[in-house]
Amino acid sequence: MTKTRLEAFSDGMFAIILTILVLELHVPELENSSFAAFSASMIQLAPKFFAFLFSFFIIAIFWVNHHHIIHQIKKVDTKLLWLNIGLLFFSSLFPFITAFIGDYMMNPFVVALYPLNMALSSLMINALWKHAFVDSDLASSTLTAEEKQARLKRDRMALLINLGSAALAFVWVPITLTIMVVMPFAFVVPEFLANKTEEE
């Protein structure tokens, strides 16, 4: 498979995942035409909407990071293809888990699934990056050895936080929900800056 085919296939998969995600938002049934009925339906829809909004943002982060990686590779090999498929598999689970949480937001077993899937998805995309930039000559990079090690350390930290937040769901669900919301903002800016550095 060529780099172009890999890119097109992956972009198509991410587009399908986002489409399935929004399909989980069903139009509420209004009892009547009053504002009270409208407000009640919006309040009932709110958990699903916020779960959708968050998941859309998370999948967008994975897609942007995937784009930065694939953009810089010169060729593909079998291991890269399978790591890419692993990323797409775990990413495709987000619509199901998002809908599940939208219905059972305070259930620890359900909530724990989200950071667990984030951990597995992150593991795949981090392995994809490591294979392309550290373990092979698939990508051209100007990163120093210290910068590569810093990236790997940050990836391991994110993985541990995701796994820890999944476990914390069985202690108190709001802790896990808070970590889930805060964590992307804590890591997306350094990730963006790292990707900008790699492309220079």
Side-chain angles (χ1 to χ4, degrees), residues 65 68-69 71-72 129 133 140-148 150-151 154 188-200:
N65 288 338
H68 283 300
I69 294 170
H71 177 69
Q72 296 173 80
W129 178 88
F133 287 89
S140 55
S141 174
T142 58
L143 292 178
T144 64
E146 290 76 14
E147 288 172 330
K148 290 178 180 179
R151 158 96 186 218
R154 188 173 67 248
V188 71
V189 174
E191 188 74 25
F192 174 76
L193 294 176
N195 286 327
K196 292 292 288 183
T197 302
E198 289 166 14
E199 291 182 345
E200 290 176 355

Side-chain angles (χ1 to χ4, degrees), residues 107-120:
N107 185 307
F109 295 97
V110 176
V111 172
L113 289 175
Y114 204 101
L116 181 60
N117 195 56
M118 282 181 64
L120 294 171

Side-chain angles (χ1 to χ4, degrees), residues 18-172:
L18 290 173
T19 301
I20 295 173
L21 190 67
V22 75
L23 290 177
E24 292 298 332
L25 286 178
H26 302 294
V27 177
E29 294 184 7
L30 301 180
E31 294 182 359
N32 51 58
S33 301
S34 67
F35 178 74
F38 172 77
S39 300
S41 65
M42 289 298 99
I43 291 172
Q44 187 176 4
L45 185 64
K48 280 186 170 293
F49 178 77
F50 285 117
F52 157 76
L53 194 64
F54 180 75
S55 289
F56 192 97
F57 179 61
I58 292 297
I59 296 169
I61 291 174
F62 279 113
W63 177 77
V64 170
N65 288 338
H66 181 272
H67 164 75
H68 283 300
I69 294 170
I70 302 302
H71 177 69
Q72 296 173 80
I73 67 172
K74 299 174 293 184
K75 55 186 177 180
V76 301
D77 62 9
T78 302
K79 183 174 181 179
L80 187 83
L81 292 177
W82 281 109
L83 289 172
N84 192 72
I85 289 172
L87 168 64
L88 295 175
F89 170 75
F90 289 114
S91 296
S92 69
L93 296 178
F94 277 112
F96 165 73
I97 298 173
T98 300
F100 210 0
I101 287 184
D103 286 334
Y104 304 98
M105 191 166 282
M106 298 309 293
N107 185 307
F109 295 97
V110 176
V111 172
L113 289 175
Y114 204 101
L116 181 60
N117 195 56
M118 282 181 64
L120 294 171
S121 300
S122 298
L123 189 65
M124 287 294 102
I125 199 165
N126 294 340
L128 189 73
W129 178 88
K130 184 174 182 289
H131 178 62
F133 287 89
V134 179
D135 298 336
S136 72
D137 61 347
L138 297 182
S140 55
S141 174
T142 58
L143 292 178
T144 64
E146 290 76 14
E147 288 172 330
K148 290 178 180 179
Q149 287 302 314
R151 158 96 186 218
L152 292 172
K153 182 178 179 180
R154 188 173 67 248
D155 291 343
R156 287 193 292 269
M157 185 185 301
L159 177 64
L160 291 174
I161 292 174
N162 274 317
L163 292 175
S165 65
L168 286 172
F170 298 96
V171 178
W172 195 40

